[in-house]
């Protein structure tokens, strides 16, 4: 957040910095305390980004993220869909839109969006895992198992490069558990706790 604020001090009309600041506050709100001021700042900064650059995909993603946290899902969807039209290769569009649909109860739609996110960023395991979870919830168990298995393969590649990646260990343990690999799931949980017992992942 400080880096985005520094960029804004240099150029107050630099829309990507406002979009980044909005996203940082939205992430902080979602994962670190749900403070009203963070949500308000995500709303404000994303609004400024939109005013400065209505044709910037990142501005629409930031606005969509903020709107989804405010549970203004129709508005969020409009911004995510606009972002996808502007830049079809922007991962955050599909990932955050998928999460918004999941929160809204549109599970089938979330599975489609997580699949798009996984295709745009082939190294990402989170979208695969969440997509597999959505497919299971929709009664598409065989597809879900296949997607979860792919998420495990991707997580293993990440951990081969960085064995201390807490997010991968933590979320990946859920994928292992869903895949029936209970012993490995608990091993990954233990490793995550050893690296950082205070991590929110």
């Amino acid at each position: 957040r400080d880096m985005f604020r520094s960029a804004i001090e240099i150029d107050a009309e630099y829309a990507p910095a406002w979009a980044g600041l909005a996203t940082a506050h939205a992430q902080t709100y979602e994962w670190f305390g749900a403070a009203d001021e963070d949500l308000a700042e995500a709303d404000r900064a994303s609004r400024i980004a939109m005013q400065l650059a209505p044709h910037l995909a990142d501005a629409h993603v930031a606005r969509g993220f903020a709107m989804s946290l405010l549970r203004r899902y129709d508005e969020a969807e409009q911004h995510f869909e606009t972002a996808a039209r502007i830049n079809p290769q922007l991962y955050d569009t599909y990932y955050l839109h998928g999460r918004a649909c999941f929160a809204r109860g549109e599970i089938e739609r979330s599975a489609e969006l997580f699949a798009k996110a996984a295709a745009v960023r082939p190294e990402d395991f989170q979208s695969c895992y969440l997509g597999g979870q959505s497919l299971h919830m929709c009664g598409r168990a065989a597809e879900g198992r296949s997607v979860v298995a792919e998420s495990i393969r991707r997580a293993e590649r990440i951990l081969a490069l960085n064995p201390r990646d807490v997010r991968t260990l933590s979320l990946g343990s859920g994928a292992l558990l869903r895949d029936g690999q209970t012993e490995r799931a608990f091993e990954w949980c233990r490793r995550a706790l050893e690296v950082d017992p205070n991590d929110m992942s």
Side-chain angles (χ1 to χ4, degrees):
R1 289 178 297 181
D2 290 343
M3 292 174 70
F4 288 125
R5 289 192 191 101
S6 295
I8 290 165
E9 287 175 9
I10 294 168
D11 183 356
E13 296 188 358
Y14 185 54
W18 284 106
L21 182 63
T23 300
H25 276 286
Q27 293 279 12
T28 303
Y29 173 83
E30 188 172 31
W31 296 107
F32 299 98
D36 290 341
E37 54 266 30
D38 279 312
L39 186 55
E41 188 60 17
D43 183 15
R44 185 184 79 90
S46 65
R47 206 176 330 110
I48 293 171
M50 284 297 308
Q51 291 167 354
L52 291 171
H55 303 298
L56 179 69
D58 291 296
H60 282 281
V61 171
R63 189 65 179 158
F65 193 6
M67 292 300 95
S68 69
L69 294 177
L70 286 163
R71 299 183 183 180
R72 290 158 58 177
Y73 294 117
D74 288 339
E75 291 177 65
E77 183 167 10
Q78 291 174 9
H79 286 289
F80 286 132
E81 289 183 348
T82 300
R85 285 195 297 272
I86 295 170
N87 182 0
Q89 298 302 310
L90 188 57
Y91 166 84
D92 286 348
T93 302
Y94 305 115
Y95 179 70
L96 292 172
H97 191 184
R99 285 175 44 193
C101 286
F102 188 90
R104 193 180 193 179
E106 297 178 348
I107 310 302
E108 191 92 32
R109 178 73 173 131
S110 75
E112 296 171 7
L113 289 161
F114 288 134
K116 287 184 179 180
V120 166
R121 186 178 289 177
E123 75 280 5
D124 175 66
F125 80 96
Q126 298 179 87
S127 49
C128 275
Y129 171 61
L130 296 175
Q133 176 180 266
S134 293
L135 288 167
H136 275 280
M137 291 175 68
C138 292
R140 297 159 62 182
E143 291 175 76
R145 282 193 296 272
S146 176
V147 174
V148 168
E150 173 61 19
S151 79
I152 293 169
R153 285 191 289 273
R154 293 184 181 196
E156 288 169 338
R157 287 197 292 269
I158 292 169
L159 292 172
L161 296 171
N162 180 11
R164 297 174 60 82
D165 187 319
V166 174
R167 175 70 173 168
T168 302
L169 287 167
S170 177
L171 199 59
S173 68
L176 288 168
L177 194 62
R178 186 172 288 278
D179 195 52
Q181 300 184 50
T182 306
E183 189 173 334
R184 285 188 78 200
F186 279 105
E187 178 201 343
W188 285 25
C189 281
R190 284 192 295 270
R191 287 168 59 189
L193 287 169
E194 287 168 4
V195 173
D196 189 350
N198 297 313
D199 190 280
M200 291 293 290
S201 298

